[in-house]
Structure formats: structure tokens, C-alpha cells
């Protein structure tokens, strides 16, 4: 891809992206690859790069950290180890070791993920792990770049001997120094080294009184440094051991260098693969910073941008927010600081979709953007250029899905003041120089960006020249965007097929730019409005209108009015879309609620079927037992009579339960028809309170109350509901069943005395927290009262806990002959925390 002029990328702001990429690279190897990165029009290369960077985006955003530690550029080292017999130091070997470790880890990381990131793995396959060489170097050097003392057995032995002899030498020298100090021959209390040998400082006048060899004299001549005779042999031995140690170190380093030399042919491609992956990681990090995605590529030359954001502005606002956070004093202030939003750009250039006859549109590949200064015209044009340049570099772009970019061969940029003192070129002349090159070389696969076309000379001549240039570029099929203030170019764009007007929205009420691009609408300069806003007198403005001509002024007013109406229409469309989204959200919410109710209905139906099945099974079991007893009693009349009585009693019980359920259903239906919605009652919700769910519907009773959920009874239905959905409408309602004495017969008697009081019975008892010996009598009272009142069943709330209380209560109930069955409540009615007692 050819760029013109040479600094075209910098004029579009691409240098800012390069600087960020350079900072994201982990190694000099990666920075070299990024520095050599150039735009391309080769489809295979661009598509491959975008795919690999896109996979790196996913890896960095959603996978484990990439083991991309900094790797030194080992290529100079590999050249130094090439000659036979060459020796490198421990620091060089340490750099090689660190590189080998990172290369092996990076290779293993992508090997285990090759199905997820196949294109990145194809690069990582170029890495050849050198485990044997890595192990060898790890035994020799440490992470600080120093040779290990245990690099070899001989080195370890020599090091121990040197340390032992050195300790003896220090003790000998210290003894000699203390003797000299005691005799007044020396004043210092520490020995020193001269020429690699241990010596003591002695007064010059006493040098003949201390036996030994003089090695040095101080600068003042007042002190001489003497090697005591007693330390002579130890000094010699230490020197010999140190020489032997140096020879062993050289041998170890030469051997390690030879190992490195033998593998240098595999290391070179491994470093190249690492450098490529480092560059992909840098591009992936930048893309994630920008919220970028991989766009579609096309060969038709059209450019479609969907909600494109200028990457330079995005990074600028991010840096601005970062500085503000650094200066913020509290964590809350830091958290509240967000980067300023970049206004997105929607733009089509040469898009065949725009030319769909069914839509009534015509594809255009030349765009003329007009409007006031500081309205965002140049930023919009630069956004197009820098996004196209990013794609050519294999970089994802900050756009939404649906964006599509052509594979450009040439990019021409005429933006900014390009005066040249050396070549004596004015701004206008430099513009003409650029335009000459554009007209000569631009074609269908070119993108031409011209800022402030026709400026720098006489307005009439400049406008005419700009129109002629745009006509020439248009005839050549170049994709062209030009910004201008010339009204003649607005008319040219309106009247020429394939050329379109465009503008940046401007709020006429506040005279402030909105930075929103709108195609098909020319922009007004708002010169008279701005002049009036800043206080220019009306007479001057009126004179200016007269000079420019009423037709021109009226046209500008018409454009401004049309722009304002278009802006209002767009605002209403956005508002309608917002309402539509809200309505869709409400519809989805109620669909979800309906599905939940259907699922709950199915659960209740299944539970009812299961309960009926249990009753039938129990009845069948008792009938079978009765038949067996009849057979065993050989059909004795008395036994048969008793069994038939039991069966009749069982049928009566089942029929009675059925009648009671039907009666409760009729009462509940009657209550629901007559019941009006009671008002809400202030105060916290407690167990036993009457509540409504979601502020409407039937009133239920709170049976259990937890931190977040409550068990609510709505007639025979029990359900768990989040407490925030409940509205209190009343306090506890006593749940009792009253059976009044039957009336006496004609003789004044009855089966039960007429003065028998009404029987009151509870349907549920709460025993949570009680001990077994306290709970069992209460259970008996509950069952006795329920039997007297004719209740079909009662519930015992004991909680789950350890289960000891539940087990004791259920065993106790199973021993009672008047209890027909004991079972746990359904999961949505308390589960194992509630025992349901069926009464016989």
C-alpha cells in the first residue's frame, strides 16, 4: 500500500497508535517487528494478520495469562558463540537460559490451546523447545547472571577449600595485626588486601620491627602494608586455589558455550516466532483497549463504517481519565472517573447496499463534507483514514459489526498546513503539489482525503479549482472525501451522480457542535448566527447579509432549518427506538413470568398426581390385606363383616377428604370473587402476616420468613417468594376450625350433648428450637384437637437442623393408630423442615 505524502500516517494520527504498540511489546525483538510493520493491500496477508490478532484479543481477554516474559535479543550472542572455542560469560548464559524457559512455556501454552487459537499455534510451532540445553544451563548459572558455586563437583570443592584457607588466612593476619597494635606498631584494627594478598597496615617507622614482606606504601608515606611471615604460606595456597578455580570456571563456560553453539540453528527461528507472537500480543492489547473488532474485507472498493470511533481520541480520553484518577484523593472519586465518550461515525463510501434500487439510493464514492469550523469535519475524515490504515496494518478497528473495508492500494492525504521554507512553497502551492500527484496516480483502489478544499486563494477561483479536482478524481473512480466551506461544492455534490453531500450536526440553539455525521445533508457555516452570538451588532450582520445576497443567505438559513429538522427527526427516531426496546423488555419479562407460572402449574399437577397415587396405593394395600385376612379366616362371617366395615370406613375417609377439598375450593373461589384488594399496612413483615405478592392479586399468609425468601400460603397453594416482592396488608389471622354441636332431635336428645362447646383446632404448629420431650406432647395435642374437629391433616413445622427432632416426631406419630400417614412436605412447602400428618 502506497502512502502519499511520506508523513501521511502521522497526519492521520497513526504515530500515536505506533507509540502505544511499542509500549505494549515485551521485548526488543517484538519492537523490531512492529517498527517494520507496513500497510499492505495483499488480501491474504491482511486477512491472516487480522485473524491472528483477533485470536490474540480473545486469548488476552478471556484465557489464562500469556507467558510472554521479556526475552533478550540473543542474535548478537549467537554470532559470538559461532567460532569454535569461543567462550561467553555467565551473564550471557543467564540471558540464554531465561529465553529458553520463556520459549518453552510459550510453546507449551499455545500447544494445549491449538484448537482454540490455530493461527497463533501455527506461529508458535516455529519455536523449538531446548529442554536439554535449558537443564544444562540451569545447573551452571542462576537467575542473577552469576555462575553457581555447584556448577561442577570440582568447582564446589575448590570453593570450599578457598573458603577454609581464607578463614585461616584471616585469623592469621588478624593475630599479627593485634600483636602489632599491642606493641604500638600499628593503629588500625582491620587488615586489607594489596596485590591480591592479605596485609596489615604498620607505621612506617616500625616497618623493620614487624617480620614480613612490604607490598605497598600509603600516599602520605606514613603507613606501609606488610604481609606477615606467618601468613605467607596461606596466602600462596589461597592464590593457587583461586587460579585453579578460574581455570575450572573457564572450562565450565567453554563447555556451556559449546552446547549453546550446537543449538544455535534452532534458536534463531524460535526467536523469530517469539518476536512475531510478541508483536501480535501488543496489537491484541491495543485492540482490546480500543474495544476493536476484526472487520469484513471486500474487493469492491466500498467502505462501510458502523459506529466507528477515532482511535486517537479514544486513547487520548483514556490517558486523560488516567491522569485524573492519579490526582483523585479518594477511592470513590477514582471509581467515578470514566473516559469521555467518543461520538461514533456511521459512513458509507461506494457501498453497493446504498445503491439498492429498492431503497431508492445511489451509491456514491465522492463525499463533500461542509459545515462550520470546529464542527468535527476534519476529525470525521481523519477517522476514515486512520481506520483504513489500521486495517491495512492488520489491526482490528474500533467499529461495530457490519463494518467492511476495501483493500486499498493507495492512500493520499492532504491535511494541515504544509508550507515549506526550504522549497519556498506556500500553503496553497503545497496543496496543488499534493493534488497534482493525486490526479496523476489515483484510481478505483485509492482513498483520497482533502481537508479544506479550495482554500488559500481567491474564494471563487479556489472553489472552481476544487470542483474541477473532485470531478477529475471522481472520473478516475477514486474514493474521495473532501471538507470545504465553498457553497459551489455543495451544489456540485447535489447535482452530480455518485457524489454526495455530508455535514456534521450543529445545535443551532446553543451553536455547539454535536460531532455527529449525517449523509445527504449539506452543512451551513452558521456564520451570521455565530456572529450574533458573540455580540456583533445587527446593522453589521444585516449589511453582511445584503452583501452576500439574499439568495445565498436564504439558502444558508434553509440548510440550517433543514438540518435542525433532520436533527429533531433523528432525536424522535432514537426516542421511539428507546420506547420499542423498553416495550420489548417488558414483553420478555412477562413471557418469562408466564413460563414460570406454567412450570409451577406443572409442578403442582405432578404433586397432586403423586399424592393421589399414594392414596390409591394405600387403599389397594389395605384392600389386599383385607382379602388376605378373609382368606386366612376362611371367610368366617364375623371376619368378613369386620373387613367389609374396614373397607367401608376407608372409602368413607377417602370420600370425606374429597368432599373437604371440594368444599375448600368452593369457599376459596367465593372469597376470591368477593374479595377486594386491602390497602398496604406499614411495618415489617413477620410470620403469620397477611401479604400481597407484587402489590396485587390474592392475599396470602406468611408461613415462614427467611432473610431473602418467605413461604406464603395462598389458599391451598404454598409458594416461596422473594421478600422484596411482598406487601404487608394485615397482621396474623387466627387459623381455626369450629365445629358446633348438632341440633337435638324431636325428643330433645342428640348424638352429642346439645351443651357441647365448639371445638377449636390448629392446622399447623411450630416446634422449632424445642427439645424432643417438649415437642411430643404438643404434637399429641395438635393431633387430638384436629381429630376432634374432623380435620383431614395437620402440619408440624420442626425445621431441618440435625434431623433429630424430625425423626423423633415422625416415629412418635407412626405409633398412633389414628394417624393414617406421615410424610415430608413438598419442596416448595417446607420440604424436610415440615411433616404432613394425614389423620385416619
Amino acid at each position: 500500500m502506497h502512502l502519499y505524502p511520506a508523513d501521511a500516517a502521522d497526519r492521520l494520527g497513526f504515530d500515536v497508535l505506533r507509540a502505544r504498540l511499542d509500549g505494549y511489546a515485551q521485548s526488543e525483538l517484538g519492537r523490531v517487528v512492529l517498527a517494520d510493520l507496513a500497510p499492505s493491500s495483499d488480501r491474504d496477508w491482511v486477512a491472516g494478520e487480522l485473524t491472528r490478532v483477533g485470536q490474540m484479543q480473545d486469548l488476552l481477554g478471556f484465557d489464562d495469562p500469556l507467558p510472554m516474559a521479556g526475552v533478550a535479543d540473543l542474535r548478537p550472542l549467537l554470532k559470538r558463540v559461532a567460532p569454535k572455542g569461543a567462550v561467553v560469560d555467565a551473564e550471557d548464559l543467564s540471558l540464554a537460559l531465561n529465553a529458553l524457559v520463556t520459549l518453552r512455556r510459550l510453546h507449551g501454552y499455545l500447544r494445549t490451546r491449538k484448537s482454540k487459537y490455530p493461527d497463533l499455534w501455527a506461529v508458535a510451532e516455529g519455536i523449538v523447545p531446548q529442554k536439554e540445553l535449558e537443564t544444562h544451563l540451569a545447573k551452571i548459572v542462576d537467575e542473577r547472571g552469576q555462575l553457581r558455586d555447584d556448577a561442577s563437583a570440582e568447582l564446589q570443592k575448590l570453593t570450599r577449600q578457598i573458603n577454609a584457607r581464607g578463614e585461616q588466612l584471616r585469623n592469621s593476619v588478624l593475630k599479627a595485626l593485634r600483636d602489632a597494635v599491642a606493641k604500638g606498631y600499628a593503629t588500625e584494627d582491620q587488615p586489607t588486601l594489596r596485590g591480591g594478598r592479605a596485609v596489615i597496615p604498620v607505621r612506617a617507622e616500625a616497618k623493620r620491627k614487624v617480620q614480613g614482606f612490604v607490598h605497598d606504601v600509603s600516599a602520605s608515606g606514613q603507613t606501609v602494608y606488610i604481609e606477615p611471615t606467618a601468613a605467607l604460606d596461606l596466602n600462596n595456597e589461597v592464590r593457587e586455589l583461586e587460579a585453579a578455580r578460574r581455570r575450572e570456571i573457564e572450562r565450565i563456560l567453554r563447555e556451556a558455550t559449546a552446547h549453546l553453539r550446537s543449538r544455535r540453528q534452532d534458536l534463531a527461528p524460535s526467536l523469530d516466532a517469539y518476536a512475531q507472537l510478541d508483536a501480535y500480543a501488543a496489537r491484541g492489547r491495543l485492540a482490546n483497549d480500543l474495544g476493536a473488532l476484526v472487520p469484513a474485507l471486500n474487493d469492491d472498493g466500498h467502505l462501510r463504517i458502523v459506529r466507528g470511533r477515532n482511535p486517537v481520541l479514544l486513547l487520548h480520553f483514556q490517558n486523560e481519565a488516567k491522569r485524573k484518577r492519579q490526582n483523585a484523593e479518594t477511592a470513590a472519586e477514582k471509581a467515578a472517573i470514566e473516559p469521555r465518550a467518543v461520538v461514533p461515525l456511521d459512513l458509507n463510501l461506494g457501498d453497493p447496499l446504498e445503491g439498492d434500487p429498492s431503497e431508492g439510493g445511489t451509491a456514491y464514492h465522492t463525499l463533500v463534507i461542509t459545515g462550520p469550523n470546529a464542527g468535527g469535519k476534519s476529525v470525521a475524515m481523519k477517522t476514515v483514514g486512520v481506520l483504513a490504515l489500521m486495517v491495512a496494518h492488520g489491526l482490528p478497528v474500533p467499529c461495530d459489526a457490519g463494518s467492511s473495508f476495501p483493500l486499498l492500494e493507495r492512500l493520499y492525504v492532504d491535511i494541515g498546513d504544509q508550507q515549506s521554507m526550504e522549497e519556498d512553497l506556500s500553503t496553497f502551492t503545497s496543496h496543488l503539489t499534493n493534488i497534482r500527484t493525486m490526479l496523476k496516480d489515483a484510481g478505483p483502489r485509492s482513498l483520497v482525503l482533502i481537508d479544506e478544499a479550495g482554500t488559500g486563494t481567491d474564494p471563487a477561483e479556489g472553489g472552481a479549482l476544487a470542483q474541477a479536482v473532485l470531478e477529475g478524481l471522481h472520473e478516475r473512480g477514486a474514493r474521495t472525501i473532501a471538507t470545504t466551506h465553498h457553497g459551489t461544492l455543495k451544489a456540485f455534490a447535489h447535482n452530480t451522480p455518485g457524489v454526495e453531500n455530508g455535514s456534521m450536526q450543529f445545535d443551532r440553539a446553543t451553536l455547539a457542535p454535536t460531532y455527529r455525521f449525517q449523509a445527504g445533508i449539506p452543512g451551513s457555516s452558521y456564520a451570521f448566527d455565530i456572529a450574533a452570538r458573540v455580540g456583533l451588532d445587527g446593522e453589521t450582520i444585516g449589511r453582511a447579509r445584503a452583501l452576500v445576497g439574499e439568495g445565498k443567505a436564504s439558502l444558508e438559513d434553509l440548510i440550517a432549518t433543514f438540518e435542525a429538522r433532520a436533527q429533531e427527526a433523528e432525536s424522535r427516531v432514537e426516542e421511539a427506538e428507546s420506547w420499542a426496546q423498553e416495550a420489548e423488555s417488558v414483553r420478555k419479562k412477562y413471557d418469562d413470568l408466564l413460563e414460570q407460572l406454567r412450570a409451577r402449574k406443572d409442578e403442582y399437577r405432578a404433586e397432586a398426581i403423586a399424592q393421589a397415587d399414594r392414596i390409591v396405593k394405600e387403599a389397594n394395600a389395605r384392600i389386599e390385606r383385607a382379602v388376605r385376612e378373609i382368606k386366612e379366616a376362611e371367610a368366617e362371617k364375623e371376619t368378613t363383616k369386620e373387613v367389609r366395615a374396614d373397607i367401608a370406613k376407608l372409602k368413607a375417609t377417602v370420600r370425606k377428604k374429597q368432599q373437604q377439598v371440594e368444599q375448600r375450593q368452593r369457599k376459596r373461589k367465593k372469597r376470591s370473587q368477593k374479595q377486594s384488594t386491602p390497602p398496604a399496612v406499614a411495618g415489617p413483615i413477620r410470620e403469620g402476616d397477611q401479604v400481597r405478592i407484587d402489590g396485587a392479586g390474592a392475599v396470602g399468609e406468611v408461613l415462614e420468613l427467611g432473610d431473602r425468601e418467605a413461604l406464603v400460603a395462598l389458599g391451598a397453594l404454598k409458594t416461596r417468594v422473594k421478600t422484596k416482592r411482598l406487601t404487608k396488608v394485615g397482621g396474623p389471622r387466627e387459623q381455626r376450625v369450629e365445629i358446633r354441636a348438632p341440633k337435638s332431635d324431636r325428643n330433645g336428645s342428640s348424638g352429642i350433648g346439645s351443651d357441647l362447646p365448639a371445638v377449636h383446632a390448629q392446622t399447623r404448629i411450630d416446634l422449632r428450637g424445642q427439645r424432643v420431650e417438649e415437642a411430643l406432647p404438643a404434637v399429641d395435642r395438635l393431633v387430638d384437637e384436629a381429630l376432634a374437629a374432623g380435620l383431614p391433616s395437620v402440619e408440624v413445622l420442626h425445621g431441618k437442623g440435625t434431623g433429630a427432632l424430625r425423626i423423633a416426631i415422625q416415629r412418635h406419630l407412626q405409633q398412633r393408630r389414628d394417624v393414617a400417614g406421615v410424610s415430608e412436605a413438598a419442596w416448595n412447602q417446607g420440604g424436610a423442615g415440615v411433616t404432613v400428618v394425614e389423620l385416619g
Side-chain angles (χ1 to χ4, degrees), residues 35 39 78 91 101 113 142 156 160 184 204 344 432 440 523 735 825:
L78 296 180
E91 186 175 355
V101 171
R113 295 165 171 81
D142 59 22
Q156 193 171 24
R160 284 199 299 265
L432 291 180
K440 177 184 175 183
Q735 297 183 354

Side-chain angles (χ1 to χ4, degrees), residues 143-208:
E143 63 277 2
R144 298 170 297 172
Q146 297 180 353
L147 195 72
R148 297 171 62 94
D149 288 338
D150 58 351
S152 73
E154 181 64 19
L155 181 62
Q156 193 171 24
K157 184 182 77 172
L158 290 171
T159 301
R160 284 199 299 265
Q161 289 176 345
I162 290 172
N163 291 336
R165 295 297 183 273
E167 183 65 24
Q168 293 175 10
L169 177 60
R170 281 191 295 274
N171 292 334
S172 177
V173 173
L174 281 172
K175 182 177 182 302
L177 180 59
R178 285 195 295 269
D179 290 344
V181 171
K183 294 176 180 178
Y185 303 150
T187 58
E188 298 185 28
D189 58 353
Q190 286 295 329
T192 186
L193 290 174
R194 285 293 185 274
R197 300 181 74 88
V199 297
I200 61 174
V202 178
R203 298 178 187 276
E205 61 270 18
K207 64 182 179 179
R208 299 186 184 280

Side-chain angles (χ1 to χ4, degrees), residues 245-323:
R245 186 174 185 273
R246 285 193 295 273
R247 289 193 297 272
E248 177 63 12
I249 289 174
E250 185 177 0
R251 184 195 68 78
I252 293 170
L253 294 178
R254 181 176 288 106
E255 181 181 310
T257 303
H259 273 75
L260 186 58
R261 183 186 309 114
S262 67
R263 308 305 300 176
R264 61 189 295 268
Q265 296 300 325
D266 292 327
L267 274 173
S270 296
L271 292 172
D272 290 340
Y274 170 86
Q276 292 293 333
L277 290 170
D278 191 14
Y280 287 130
R283 285 189 272 177
R285 291 186 180 94
L286 174 64
N288 284 342
D289 274 356
L290 298 175
L293 55 75
V294 175
L297 301 176
N298 67 78
D299 298 313
D300 303 324
H302 69 267
L303 188 150
R304 181 168 67 248
I305 298 175
V306 180
R307 292 185 62 79
R309 282 86 65 195
N310 188 291
V312 179
L313 283 178
L314 284 171
L315 294 180
H316 173 72
F317 290 158
Q318 288 174 9
N319 290 336
E320 181 184 67
K322 183 178 179 181
R323 288 192 297 269

Side-chain angles (χ1 to χ4, degrees), residues 415-460:
I415 297 176
D417 190 356
Q418 302 174 56
Q419 295 186 67
S420 173
M421 298 288 289
E422 293 80 5
E423 299 181 17
D424 193 26
L425 295 178
S426 67
T427 300
F428 181 65
T429 305
S430 66
H431 283 313
L432 291 180
T433 302
N434 292 338
I435 289 170
R436 179 188 63 190
T437 303
M438 297 171 184
L439 289 172
K440 177 184 175 183
D441 300 327
R445 295 187 65 182
S446 299
L447 176 62
V448 180
L449 306 176
I450 304 175
D451 194 27
E452 300 296 348
T455 58
T457 187
D458 177 78

Side-chain angles (χ1 to χ4, degrees), residues 533-587:
R533 175 61 61 90
V534 299
L536 199 63
D537 62 275
E539 183 178 350
T540 303
I541 295 175
R543 176 58 179 161
R545 283 182 174 273
L547 290 173
V548 79
E550 286 301 324
K552 177 70 165 60
S554 299
L555 177 61
E556 287 292 316
D557 289 342
L558 180 61
I559 290 173
T561 302
F562 180 58
E563 184 177 352
R565 290 180 178 176
Q567 188 173 347
E568 181 182 359
E570 183 177 346
S571 176
R572 291 187 177 183
V573 168
E574 290 178 355
E575 186 177 2
E577 290 177 350
S578 176
W579 288 345
Q581 290 176 357
E582 185 177 351
E584 177 62 21
S585 175
V586 172
R587 186 195 65 77

